[in-house]
Short mmCIF file of all heavy atoms in Angstrom, two decimals:
data_model
loop_
_atom_site.label_atom_id
_atom_site.label_comp_id
_atom_site.label_asym_id
_atom_site.label_seq_id
_atom_site.Cartn_x
_atom_site.Cartn_y
_atom_site.Cartn_z
N ILE A 1 0.85 -1.19 0.00
CA ILE A 1 0.00 0.00 0.00
C ILE A 1 0.89 1.24 0.00
O ILE A 1 1.82 1.34 0.79
CB ILE A 1 -0.92 0.02 1.25
CG1 ILE A 1 -1.82 -1.21 1.24
CG2 ILE A 1 -1.72 1.30 1.30
CD1 ILE A 1 -2.62 -1.37 2.50
N THR A 2 0.58 2.14 -0.91
CA THR A 2 1.33 3.40 -0.93
C THR A 2 0.48 4.50 -0.32
O THR A 2 -0.71 4.61 -0.60
CB THR A 2 1.72 3.80 -2.36
OG1 THR A 2 0.54 3.92 -3.14
CG2 THR A 2 2.65 2.77 -2.97
N VAL A 3 1.10 5.28 0.51
CA VAL A 3 0.41 6.38 1.16
C VAL A 3 0.90 7.68 0.53
O VAL A 3 2.11 7.88 0.40
CB VAL A 3 0.72 6.40 2.68
CG1 VAL A 3 0.04 7.56 3.37
CG2 VAL A 3 0.32 5.08 3.30
N PRO A 4 -0.05 8.54 0.10
CA PRO A 4 0.40 9.79 -0.52
C PRO A 4 1.17 10.65 0.48
O PRO A 4 0.81 10.74 1.64
CB PRO A 4 -0.89 10.48 -0.95
CG PRO A 4 -1.99 9.77 -0.25
CD PRO A 4 -1.48 8.43 0.16
N VAL A 5 2.22 11.25 0.00
CA VAL A 5 3.03 12.12 0.84
C VAL A 5 2.31 13.45 0.99
O VAL A 5 1.79 13.99 0.02
CB VAL A 5 4.42 12.34 0.20
CG1 VAL A 5 5.24 13.30 1.02
CG2 VAL A 5 5.13 11.02 0.03
N ALA A 6 2.27 13.95 2.20
CA ALA A 6 1.63 15.23 2.45
C ALA A 6 2.38 16.34 1.73
O ALA A 6 3.61 16.36 1.71
CB ALA A 6 1.58 15.51 3.94
N ALA A 7 1.62 17.22 1.12
CA ALA A 7 2.24 18.34 0.41
C ALA A 7 2.82 19.33 1.41
O ALA A 7 2.21 19.61 2.43
CB ALA A 7 1.19 19.03 -0.45
N LYS A 8 4.00 19.82 1.10
CA LYS A 8 4.61 20.83 1.96
C LYS A 8 3.90 22.15 1.70
O LYS A 8 3.73 22.56 0.56
CB LYS A 8 6.10 20.95 1.67
CG LYS A 8 6.77 21.96 2.58
CD LYS A 8 8.25 21.97 2.42
CE LYS A 8 8.83 22.99 3.39
NZ LYS A 8 10.24 23.17 3.21
N LEU A 9 3.51 22.81 2.77
CA LEU A 9 2.83 24.09 2.67
C LEU A 9 3.78 25.20 3.08
O LEU A 9 4.45 25.12 4.10
CB LEU A 9 1.58 24.11 3.56
CG LEU A 9 0.51 23.08 3.23
CD1 LEU A 9 -0.62 23.13 4.25
CD2 LEU A 9 -0.02 23.28 1.83
N LEU A 10 3.84 26.24 2.26
CA LEU A 10 4.72 27.37 2.51
C LEU A 10 3.91 28.59 2.95
O LEU A 10 2.78 28.78 2.50
CB LEU A 10 5.47 27.73 1.23
CG LEU A 10 6.28 26.63 0.57
CD1 LEU A 10 6.77 27.08 -0.80
CD2 LEU A 10 7.43 26.23 1.45
N THR A 11 4.51 29.41 3.78
CA THR A 11 3.89 30.68 4.14
C THR A 11 4.05 31.63 2.95
O THR A 11 4.86 31.39 2.05
CB THR A 11 4.55 31.31 5.38
OG1 THR A 11 5.89 31.64 5.05
CG2 THR A 11 4.49 30.37 6.58
N THR A 12 3.30 32.72 2.97
CA THR A 12 3.43 33.70 1.90
C THR A 12 4.83 34.32 1.92
O THR A 12 5.39 34.63 0.88
CB THR A 12 2.37 34.80 2.01
OG1 THR A 12 2.39 35.35 3.33
CG2 THR A 12 0.98 34.24 1.72
N ARG A 13 5.40 34.45 3.08
CA ARG A 13 6.75 35.00 3.19
C ARG A 13 7.79 34.04 2.59
O ARG A 13 8.71 34.45 1.89
CB ARG A 13 7.09 35.30 4.64
CG ARG A 13 8.33 36.16 4.76
CD ARG A 13 8.43 36.74 6.12
NE ARG A 13 7.29 37.64 6.32
CZ ARG A 13 7.33 38.75 7.01
NH1 ARG A 13 8.44 39.09 7.60
NH2 ARG A 13 6.28 39.51 7.14
N GLU A 14 7.63 32.73 2.87
CA GLU A 14 8.55 31.74 2.28
C GLU A 14 8.43 31.73 0.76
O GLU A 14 9.43 31.64 0.05
CB GLU A 14 8.25 30.35 2.84
CG GLU A 14 8.62 30.18 4.29
CD GLU A 14 8.09 28.88 4.89
OE1 GLU A 14 7.01 28.41 4.49
OE2 GLU A 14 8.78 28.35 5.77
N ALA A 15 7.18 31.82 0.26
CA ALA A 15 6.97 31.86 -1.18
C ALA A 15 7.60 33.11 -1.78
O ALA A 15 8.20 33.07 -2.86
CB ALA A 15 5.48 31.81 -1.50
N SER A 16 7.50 34.21 -1.07
CA SER A 16 8.09 35.47 -1.52
C SER A 16 9.60 35.34 -1.67
O SER A 16 10.18 35.79 -2.66
CB SER A 16 7.74 36.57 -0.52
OG SER A 16 8.26 37.79 -0.93
N VAL A 17 10.24 34.69 -0.72
CA VAL A 17 11.69 34.48 -0.77
C VAL A 17 12.05 33.60 -1.97
O VAL A 17 12.99 33.90 -2.71
CB VAL A 17 12.20 33.85 0.55
CG1 VAL A 17 13.63 33.36 0.41
CG2 VAL A 17 12.07 34.84 1.68
N ARG A 18 11.30 32.55 -2.18
CA ARG A 18 11.59 31.64 -3.30
C ARG A 18 11.42 32.32 -4.64
O ARG A 18 12.08 31.99 -5.61
CB ARG A 18 10.70 30.41 -3.23
CG ARG A 18 11.03 29.53 -2.06
CD ARG A 18 11.01 28.10 -2.44
NE ARG A 18 11.25 27.28 -1.26
CZ ARG A 18 10.80 26.07 -1.14
NH1 ARG A 18 10.09 25.52 -2.10
NH2 ARG A 18 11.07 25.38 -0.06
N LEU A 19 10.48 33.28 -4.70
CA LEU A 19 10.26 34.02 -5.94
C LEU A 19 11.29 35.12 -6.14
O LEU A 19 11.34 35.74 -7.19
CB LEU A 19 8.84 34.60 -5.96
CG LEU A 19 7.73 33.57 -6.14
CD1 LEU A 19 6.37 34.19 -5.87
CD2 LEU A 19 7.77 32.97 -7.54
N GLY A 20 12.07 35.38 -5.11
CA GLY A 20 13.11 36.38 -5.22
C GLY A 20 12.64 37.80 -5.03
O GLY A 20 13.31 38.74 -5.44
N TYR A 21 11.48 37.98 -4.40
CA TYR A 21 10.98 39.33 -4.16
C TYR A 21 11.80 39.99 -3.07
O TYR A 21 12.14 39.37 -2.07
CB TYR A 21 9.50 39.31 -3.77
CG TYR A 21 8.58 38.84 -4.88
CD1 TYR A 21 7.38 38.22 -4.58
CD2 TYR A 21 8.91 39.03 -6.22
CE1 TYR A 21 6.53 37.79 -5.60
CE2 TYR A 21 8.06 38.60 -7.22
CZ TYR A 21 6.88 37.99 -6.91
OH TYR A 21 6.04 37.58 -7.91
N GLN A 22 12.10 41.25 -3.24
CA GLN A 22 12.95 41.97 -2.31
C GLN A 22 12.19 42.51 -1.10
O GLN A 22 12.78 42.80 -0.08
CB GLN A 22 13.63 43.14 -3.04
CG GLN A 22 14.53 42.69 -4.16
CD GLN A 22 15.69 41.85 -3.69
OE1 GLN A 22 16.28 42.12 -2.66
NE2 GLN A 22 16.01 40.82 -4.44
N SER A 23 10.90 42.66 -1.22
CA SER A 23 10.10 43.26 -0.15
C SER A 23 10.13 42.41 1.11
O SER A 23 10.21 41.18 1.05
CB SER A 23 8.65 43.41 -0.62
OG SER A 23 7.84 43.86 0.42
N LYS A 24 10.09 43.06 2.25
CA LYS A 24 10.06 42.34 3.52
C LYS A 24 8.67 41.79 3.81
O LYS A 24 8.49 41.00 4.71
CB LYS A 24 10.50 43.25 4.66
CG LYS A 24 11.96 43.61 4.59
CD LYS A 24 12.38 44.41 5.78
CE LYS A 24 13.86 44.72 5.68
NZ LYS A 24 14.36 45.46 6.82
N THR A 25 7.68 42.24 3.07
CA THR A 25 6.32 41.74 3.27
C THR A 25 5.98 40.77 2.16
O THR A 25 6.72 40.62 1.19
CB THR A 25 5.30 42.90 3.26
OG1 THR A 25 5.33 43.51 1.97
CG2 THR A 25 5.62 43.92 4.33
N ALA A 26 4.83 40.14 2.28
CA ALA A 26 4.42 39.14 1.30
C ALA A 26 3.31 39.67 0.40
O ALA A 26 2.57 38.90 -0.20
CB ALA A 26 3.97 37.88 2.03
N HIS A 27 3.19 40.99 0.27
CA HIS A 27 2.09 41.56 -0.51
C HIS A 27 2.11 41.13 -1.97
O HIS A 27 1.06 40.95 -2.58
CB HIS A 27 2.10 43.10 -0.42
CG HIS A 27 1.77 43.59 0.94
ND1 HIS A 27 0.52 43.46 1.50
CD2 HIS A 27 2.53 44.22 1.87
CE1 HIS A 27 0.51 43.96 2.70
NE2 HIS A 27 1.73 44.44 2.96
N SER A 28 3.28 40.97 -2.55
CA SER A 28 3.36 40.56 -3.95
C SER A 28 2.79 39.16 -4.14
O SER A 28 2.11 38.89 -5.13
CB SER A 28 4.81 40.60 -4.43
OG SER A 28 5.30 41.91 -4.36
N VAL A 29 3.05 38.27 -3.22
CA VAL A 29 2.50 36.91 -3.28
C VAL A 29 0.99 36.96 -3.09
O VAL A 29 0.24 36.27 -3.79
CB VAL A 29 3.16 35.99 -2.23
CG1 VAL A 29 2.46 34.65 -2.17
CG2 VAL A 29 4.63 35.81 -2.56
N LEU A 30 0.52 37.80 -2.19
CA LEU A 30 -0.92 37.94 -1.98
C LEU A 30 -1.61 38.44 -3.25
O LEU A 30 -2.72 38.01 -3.57
CB LEU A 30 -1.21 38.88 -0.81
CG LEU A 30 -0.80 38.35 0.56
CD1 LEU A 30 -1.02 39.41 1.64
CD2 LEU A 30 -1.56 37.08 0.90
N ARG A 31 -0.96 39.34 -3.98
CA ARG A 31 -1.53 39.81 -5.24
C ARG A 31 -1.64 38.67 -6.25
O ARG A 31 -2.64 38.56 -6.97
CB ARG A 31 -0.68 40.94 -5.82
CG ARG A 31 -1.10 42.28 -5.30
CD ARG A 31 -0.41 43.40 -6.07
NE ARG A 31 0.33 44.14 -5.06
CZ ARG A 31 1.62 44.34 -5.03
NH1 ARG A 31 2.38 43.92 -5.99
NH2 ARG A 31 2.20 45.00 -4.06
N LEU A 32 -0.63 37.82 -6.32
CA LEU A 32 -0.68 36.67 -7.22
C LEU A 32 -1.85 35.75 -6.86
O LEU A 32 -2.55 35.23 -7.74
CB LEU A 32 0.62 35.87 -7.16
CG LEU A 32 1.87 36.53 -7.73
CD1 LEU A 32 3.09 35.66 -7.45
CD2 LEU A 32 1.72 36.79 -9.22
N ILE A 33 -2.08 35.56 -5.57
CA ILE A 33 -3.18 34.71 -5.11
C ILE A 33 -4.51 35.34 -5.46
O ILE A 33 -5.41 34.68 -5.99
CB ILE A 33 -3.05 34.45 -3.59
CG1 ILE A 33 -1.80 33.60 -3.31
CG2 ILE A 33 -4.30 33.77 -3.06
CD1 ILE A 33 -1.41 33.52 -1.85
N LYS A 34 -4.67 36.64 -5.20
CA LYS A 34 -5.93 37.33 -5.48
C LYS A 34 -6.26 37.34 -6.97
O LYS A 34 -7.41 37.25 -7.35
CB LYS A 34 -5.89 38.77 -4.97
CG LYS A 34 -6.04 38.86 -3.48
CD LYS A 34 -6.08 40.30 -3.02
CE LYS A 34 -6.22 40.36 -1.51
NZ LYS A 34 -6.34 41.74 -1.03
N ARG A 35 -5.23 37.43 -7.82
CA ARG A 35 -5.46 37.41 -9.27
C ARG A 35 -5.69 36.01 -9.81
O ARG A 35 -5.96 35.83 -10.98
CB ARG A 35 -4.26 38.04 -9.98
CG ARG A 35 -4.16 39.52 -9.78
CD ARG A 35 -3.14 40.15 -10.69
NE ARG A 35 -1.82 39.55 -10.55
CZ ARG A 35 -0.68 40.22 -10.50
NH1 ARG A 35 -0.69 41.53 -10.58
NH2 ARG A 35 0.47 39.60 -10.37
N GLY A 36 -5.53 35.00 -8.95
CA GLY A 36 -5.76 33.62 -9.37
C GLY A 36 -4.57 33.00 -10.08
O GLY A 36 -4.69 31.93 -10.67
N GLU A 37 -3.42 33.66 -10.04
CA GLU A 37 -2.23 33.15 -10.71
C GLU A 37 -1.50 32.09 -9.88
O GLU A 37 -0.78 31.27 -10.43
CB GLU A 37 -1.27 34.29 -11.02
CG GLU A 37 -1.82 35.29 -12.00
CD GLU A 37 -0.87 36.43 -12.28
OE1 GLU A 37 0.35 36.18 -12.32
OE2 GLU A 37 -1.34 37.56 -12.44
#
């Protein structure tokens, strides 16, 4: 039996760092989420 591996969940700040955004806040990531991207 194979059990699906739980997906790793990132905070908006962690996602911001991975995207290379310079801002100290995660507003750019929030905009991407609001636009459905």
